[in-house]
């Protein structure tokens, strides 16, 4: 999607196989590893997107400082993460599909994600609608039901499971680069 809007697109991926696949599929430069694996001279990105990333980060303010260093003067960040403030968590508790400990080290609500961005030096945060799909087998398994076979892999769009926020670094315009952190850059 970013290729339609930006002259240069890059991403990172921890998995070498997924990174190669993402690069071949998208034509983006995909760097294997974390944000720090992108050469230091690649900066001034217009936008950095981190989907299902921040909940894995032990030092989120340090991570967001690294993101700010890579953004252009008017750059934006988009963070999307499972929403612990959703009614799904309130209903399902430990059966909530995104309740993955120790994989997820921090959980965010709309309010705490917005606060994190503000505390990390971003301004003008605003909510973005963000839909998310889970495999049917996972959803039913969390409800204590077992579904095997091909049907278990069918994606089910579950509303209001994620929270997504965009925020701005500063007010000076730049142009040219898009970046996405995570799988399928």
């Amino acid at each position: 999607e970013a290729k339609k809007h930006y002259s240069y697109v890059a991403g990172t991926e921890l998995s070498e196989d997924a990174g190669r696949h993402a690069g071949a599929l998208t034509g983006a430069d995909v760097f294997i590893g974390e944000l720090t694996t992108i050469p230091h001279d690649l900066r001034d990105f217009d936008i950095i997107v981190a989907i299902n990333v921040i909940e894995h980060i032990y030092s989120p303010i340090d991570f967001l400082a690294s993101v700010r260093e890579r953004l252009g003067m008017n750059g934006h960040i988009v963070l999307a993460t499972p929403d612990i403030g959703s009614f799904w968590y309130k209903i399902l508790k430990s059966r909530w599909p995104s309740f993955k400990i120790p994989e997820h080290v921090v959980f965010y609500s709309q309010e705490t994600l917005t606060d994190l961005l503000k505390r990390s030096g971003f301004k003008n945060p605003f909510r973005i609608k963000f839909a998310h799909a889970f495999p049917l087998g996972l959803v039913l398994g969390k409800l204590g039901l077992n579904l095997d076979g091909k049907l278990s892999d069918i994606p089910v769009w579950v509303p209001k499971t994620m929270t997504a926020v965009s925020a701005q670094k500063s007010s000076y315009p730049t142009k040219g680069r898009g970046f996405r952190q995570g799988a399928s850059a």
Side-chain angles (χ1 to χ4, degrees):
E1 290 296 314
K3 281 279 195 187
K4 298 176 193 174
H5 306 283
Y6 298 97
S7 60
Y8 178 77
V9 179
T12 64
E13 173 52 58
L14 296 177
S15 163
E16 210 170 305
D17 289 340
R20 274 195 301 274
H21 179 71
L25 184 67
T26 65
D29 284 339
V30 178
F31 299 90
I32 306 304
E34 297 178 5
L35 182 63
T36 56
T37 62
I38 293 180
H40 194 61
D41 61 333
L42 277 180
R43 50 185 61 248
D44 295 330
F45 286 97
D46 290 329
I47 189 166
I48 294 179
V49 178
I51 298 172
N52 290 322
V53 173
I54 197 72
E55 66 273 16
H56 299 269
I57 305 293
Y58 284 95
S59 300
I61 291 178
D62 292 341
F63 170 75
L64 291 173
S66 296
V67 168
R68 287 193 74 223
E69 289 177 11
R70 299 297 182 135
L71 285 170
M73 291 301 290
N74 199 28
H76 283 78
I77 184 170
V78 174
L79 295 178
T81 187
D83 185 0
I84 199 158
S86 74
F87 67 90
W88 291 110
Y89 173 72
K90 291 172 181 146
I91 292 169
L92 296 172
K93 299 289 185 199
S94 65
R95 295 175 310 175
W96 180 49
S98 294
F99 198 66
K100 301 176 184 176
I101 296 177
E103 183 182 338
H104 292 175
V105 298
V106 180
F107 293 97
Y108 297 93
S109 66
Q110 175 71 43
E111 294 76 23
T112 59
L113 188 62
T114 298
D115 182 61
L116 173 67
L117 285 165
K118 287 178 181 177
R119 288 186 297 122
S120 300
F122 290 91
K123 64 181 184 176
N124 303 325
F126 62 94
R127 184 176 191 159
I128 299 172
K129 288 185 179 182
F130 192 92
H132 187 53
F134 294 95
L136 180 59
L138 174 67
V139 173
L140 292 176
K142 294 291 183 172
L143 297 173
L145 304 170
N146 189 15
L147 179 65
D148 291 325
K150 291 182 181 180
L151 289 176
S152 67
D153 294 332
I154 294 173
V156 177
W157 291 93
V158 182
K160 301 186 186 283
T161 59
M162 299 283 288
T163 184
V165 177
S166 180
Q168 185 179 23
K169 177 181 176 181
S170 71
S171 59
Y172 299 102
T174 77
K175 198 108 176 107
R177 299 173 187 245
F179 172 84
R180 176 175 170 171
Q181 169 85 23
S184 304

